[in-house]
Amino acid sequence: PSPVAMGVPMRYNEHPPLFLGLYPLTVGVQLVCVVHALVCILVVSLASSVVAVDFLDFHVSPDMQVSVAAWHLLGVALVASALVGTLWRQALPLRAYFAYLLAATLSWLALMAWVYQNDTACSVIQESKYTQRVGLSFSCGVITAAWQFGSWFVFVAAAYSCWLVWSLQDDIDQREATQHLLEHEPAHIKKLRQGFDATPSPH
């Protein structure tokens, strides 16, 4: 039976989901933050304010590179705050990082749609003896398959990362909202919970 406090049955929230079904949720979010920080730093380091870059059939001007670098520089700051949020169990920095990560994921989805619509994946292939021997269509098919697999892998990983961050900040919000109710627990239940909290938490 559920414990009763002040004549009202108390119901405890379920544990938050685990990262990959095995590891604590905070570990998953911290891993996402580290990988995302490395990606942001890489993009910022590769950006140029002088030299334009051609990606597929898309011409990336220096101004656009600076804008993309500024967006990823903002990401570094939000990633750092999210890491602090996982350590101190603060939902606000995680909520801000979730919004940023969701916007980045949707931007990547838009880029995928643009590449698929314009069929520009094969533009990286140049005429050579190899393409003359195996056929240009074969090389184009390999490049297209590799792009589709890689782009969808990145999108699924980003979407899963969004869900991890949202799940953690939602769990922290629920704990903060119901923390005052723990004062009304029966004494024996409170003693058991305090003993459980003293052990390493799975999340």
Side-chain angles (χ1 to χ4, degrees):
S2 301
V4 178
M6 302 179 63
V8 179
M10 297 183 65
R11 179 179 180 273
Y12 295 92
N13 293 330
E14 298 180 357
H15 292 303
L18 297 175
F19 172 55
L20 299 179
L22 297 173
Y23 305 102
L25 192 58
T26 51
V27 173
V29 174
Q30 289 169 358
L31 179 61
V32 168
C33 290
V34 171
V35 174
H36 194 184
L38 294 176
V39 172
C40 290
I41 293 173
L42 178 63
V43 172
V44 171
S45 64
L46 293 178
S48 173
S49 59
V50 178
V51 181
V53 176
D54 291 326
F55 175 70
L56 300 178
D57 282 345
F58 191 67
H59 182 76
V60 185
S61 65
D63 291 340
M64 183 173 295
Q65 293 183 58
V66 171
S67 300
V68 173
W71 170 258
H72 285 82
L73 195 60
L74 173 63
V76 174
L78 291 176
V79 164
S81 65
L83 281 173
V84 174
T86 61
L87 295 175
W88 293 95
R89 309 290 294 179
Q90 296 175 347
L92 182 59
L94 289 171
R95 194 175 298 115
Y97 178 58
F98 168 74
Y100 175 89
L101 194 59
L102 180 62
T105 303
L106 294 177
S107 299
W108 177 255
L109 182 62
L111 176 63
M112 289 174 54
W114 179 83
V115 173
Y116 290 150
Q117 183 178 6
N118 293 276
D119 195 21
T120 59
C122 294
S123 63
V124 298
I125 302 177
Q126 296 181 353
E127 192 72 25
S128 64
K129 293 183 179 180
Y130 176 78
T131 57
Q132 292 176 0
R133 184 173 67 254
V134 302
L136 190 62
S137 60
F138 175 79
S139 300
C140 180
V142 171
I143 294 297
T144 301
W147 161 254
Q148 290 180 352
F149 175 79
S151 61
W152 277 108
F153 176 81
V154 172
F155 173 74
V156 171
Y160 182 65
S161 300
C162 289
W163 179 77
L164 284 177
V165 176
W166 177 84
S167 298
L168 182 58
Q169 67 92 19
D170 182 65
D171 177 64
I172 294 175
D173 278 337
Q174 290 185 11
R175 287 176 178 270
E176 291 179 350
T178 58
Q179 192 68 27
H180 66 282
L181 297 177
L182 299 179
E183 300 176 359
H184 305 292
E185 282 183 321
H188 67 287
I189 296 295
K190 184 179 296 185
K191 185 177 180 180
L192 290 174
R193 179 179 57 80
Q194 291 174 348
F196 176 77
D197 289 344
T199 61
S201 174
H203 48 274

